[in-house]
Amino acid sequence: MHELQDLEVKLKDDLTPEQMLHIIFHYISLIAPEKNLDHILLYMADMGRELILADRCTLWLHDKENNLLWTKVAHGVKALTMPAEAGLAGFALKNNQSIFIEDAYKDARFNPEVDLQTGYRTKSVLVIPIQNQQGENMGVYQAINKMTSAGVFSSQDIDLLTLAASYSGKALEAAILNKEIEQTQKEIIYLMGEIGESRSKETGNHVKRVAEYSKVLALRLGLSPVEAELIKTASPMHDIGKVAIPDSILKKPGKLTDEEFALMQAHTKIGYELLKKSNRQLLKSAAIISHQHHEKWNGTGYPQGLKGEEIHIYGRITAVADVFDALASDRCYKKAWEIDRVINLFKEERGVQFDPQLIDAFMDCLEEIFALKEEYAD
């Protein structure tokens, strides 16, 4: 009863045609240039809610691989997932059929589990499939609780929501494709990083840990989330140049001779030369990291002997992450150091090998670092 009283307080008048057009043009102007999938989903949810005067509107997308419907954007709730056949959304997706009902709890197709998760009371519902350019259903638009005195959705609402979906569907499809491409690029980068590490008997989890540590450090240092994610994605390539280093050096269990160490140092230049020709920001960043992650704050590192802030921040961040993981993990030539010993070394090397500000940031986020070390343990 309480939920229905709340709905009555928020009742709205039907929109005029001019108001409808204004809403459509406003949101299409936001959606058209947008590349971020989450932002597009939010704009589409907002447009649908305003256009047909719903209390809540959700964009469910179909994950074919896992046979799930998922959303990161649902008014009033956090991200949700459910089986692709579940509830009204699943029925609409499977049967390519629009649905509008007056009382969800009187319809056998309704899945009350969602209300149980959210504490919300669903009454009237409208669901329409969203199709890609090939005519395949890629998700559904779901509106809940009509906010007019009639209290139920109509065939006109179906037309309006279908119109909204058709206007914004191309941008949504492009964003999904772009996200898939980005994910593929990340997977390739991790694989390439793992190839470099595997040649020196390191595990694939080394590059994952370095990536995660690098993101934490970047955020703690005050870099933007976008740039922190860029460093995380690029850092797995830091040792890609090892692909050109002989096995006799990479897998030598004992200490390297001066000549062997000089050859080992060449992996930084090799990695840089492999990556620098790309115009992609991701690979350009990876080139910087590959080239500079063995430089030292006091100028005694390699290959260029850069000093202080001459070393790019990406290289300085990855250096701390890489050395921590190298010391705190088993290697073919040594056992893992005790954590206290690693921490003491970092304190000693503050302002010597490492950027002092970065060491301070590292000490401030040790709890996060240790949690990641445990999560991605070999």
Side-chain angles (χ1 to χ4, degrees):
M1 184 66 181
H2 177 69
E3 292 86 350
L4 296 180
Q5 288 175 343
D6 287 345
L7 292 179
E8 290 173 4
V9 172
K10 297 184 287 185
L11 292 182
K12 300 176 181 179
D13 294 328
D14 289 322
L15 298 175
T16 65
E18 290 79 10
Q19 289 173 320
M20 294 177 187
L21 285 173
H22 174 76
I23 291 169
I24 291 174
F25 287 139
H26 170 68
Y27 280 103
I28 292 304
S29 69
L30 295 175
I31 291 170
E34 183 60 62
K35 304 300 182 186
N36 184 287
L37 177 59
D38 292 347
H39 293 170
I40 291 175
L41 290 173
L42 180 60
Y43 288 144
M44 290 181 70
D46 286 343
M47 176 169 61
R49 179 169 63 173
E50 291 186 32
L51 197 58
I52 64 172
L53 301 176
D55 183 44
R56 295 183 175 183
C57 197
T58 305
L59 264 295
W60 294 96
L61 293 181
H62 186 206
D63 177 353
K64 292 183 179 179
E65 183 176 349
N66 297 302
N67 199 31
L68 293 173
L69 281 170
W70 65 271
T71 179
K72 286 188 177 179
V73 180
H75 290 128
V77 298
K78 296 181 180 180
L80 296 170
T81 62
M82 65 180 182
E85 300 85 6
L88 295 168
F91 184 91
L93 180 80
K94 181 179 180 180
N95 296 282
N96 192 28
Q97 177 182 327
S98 297
I99 301 170
F100 63 104
I101 55 178
E102 296 184 13
D103 189 342
Y105 281 83
K106 294 181 180 179
D107 194 300
R109 298 168 297 183
F110 176 63
N111 178 17
E113 290 297 321
V114 175
D115 276 5
L116 290 175
Q117 290 181 41
T118 64
Y120 186 72
R121 171 61 162 89
T122 301
K123 192 173 185 294
S124 54
V125 182
L126 172 59
V127 189
I128 67 162
I130 302 173
Q131 296 185 334
N132 60 23
Q133 295 184 62
Q134 288 72 45
E136 301 170 334
N137 288 338
M138 59 180 175
V140 295
Y141 236 134
Q142 179 171 282
I144 299 175
N145 292 344
K146 180 77 170 181
M147 299 306 297
T148 63
S149 57
V152 295
F153 296 106
S154 66
S155 57
Q156 177 178 279
D157 291 327
I158 291 180
D159 292 339
L160 287 171
L161 206 57
T162 301
L163 183 64
S166 65
Y167 276 146
S168 50
K170 288 183 179 179
L172 177 61
E173 187 175 8
I176 292 172
L177 179 59
N178 186 60
K179 194 176 186 70
E180 290 176 351
I181 291 171
E182 287 182 357
Q183 186 59 39
T184 300
Q185 289 175 335
K186 290 179 181 179
E187 289 177 3
I188 291 171
I189 284 172
Y190 272 114
L191 286 171
M192 291 179 70
E194 288 176 13
I195 289 170
E197 296 300 337
S198 65
R199 292 210 56 239
S200 55
K201 292 188 177 179
E202 308 302 347
T203 70
N205 278 356
H206 169 66
V207 297
K208 293 176 182 176
R209 289 192 297 266
V210 170
E212 296 291 343
Y213 300 158
S214 296
K215 181 178 179 179
V216 168
L217 288 171
L219 291 172
R220 185 59 62 120
L221 210 60
L223 275 66
S224 71
V226 172
E227 195 162 20
E229 187 66 28
L230 176 64
I231 296 171
K232 173 186 171 180
T233 307
S235 64
M237 301 284 280
H238 64 277
D239 277 338
I240 188 61
K242 287 181 179 178
V243 297
I245 305 301
D247 284 350
S248 60
I249 294 176
L250 281 177
K251 300 177 181 180
K252 183 176 179 179
K255 185 177 179 180
L256 299 178
T257 66
D258 290 344
E259 183 180 20
E260 289 170 337
F261 186 59
L263 287 172
M264 174 66 87
Q265 288 179 326
H267 81 273
T268 56
K269 293 181 180 179
I270 294 167
Y272 175 68
E273 293 296 329
L274 283 171
L275 298 166
K276 73 174 185 178
K277 299 172 185 177
S278 174
N279 291 322
R280 299 287 182 184
Q281 183 60 45
L282 180 58
L283 295 183
K284 288 167 67 176
S285 300
I288 292 169
I289 290 171
S290 177
H291 204 205
Q292 299 187 15
H293 72 286
H294 282 294
E295 300 288 356
K296 295 184 179 181
W297 185 256
N298 65 359
T300 63
Y302 65 88
Q304 297 172 284
L306 301 178
K307 183 177 181 180
E309 293 188 358
E310 293 175 354
I311 309 166
H312 197 287
I313 187 61
Y314 295 0
R316 284 181 269 154
I317 287 173
T318 306
V320 172
D322 185 37
V323 171
F324 172 76
D325 195 68
L327 295 177
S329 305
D330 288 337
R331 293 285 174 101
C332 63
Y333 51 84
K334 72 164 190 65
K335 297 295 292 181
W337 285 20
E338 296 293 332
I339 291 296
D340 287 347
R341 184 183 176 190
V342 179
I343 299 304
N344 287 335
L345 176 73
F346 272 34
K347 290 177 180 178
E348 293 171 4
E349 293 297 321
R350 182 184 182 277
V352 182
Q353 180 173 351
F354 304 116
D355 179 345
Q357 189 177 1
L358 255 170
I359 294 301
D360 293 342
F362 179 84
M363 297 301 173
D364 287 342
C365 57
L366 281 177
E367 189 173 331
E368 291 176 83
I369 296 292
F370 292 157
L372 289 167
K373 184 178 184 299
E374 182 69 24
E375 181 177 354
Y376 293 97
D378 293 325

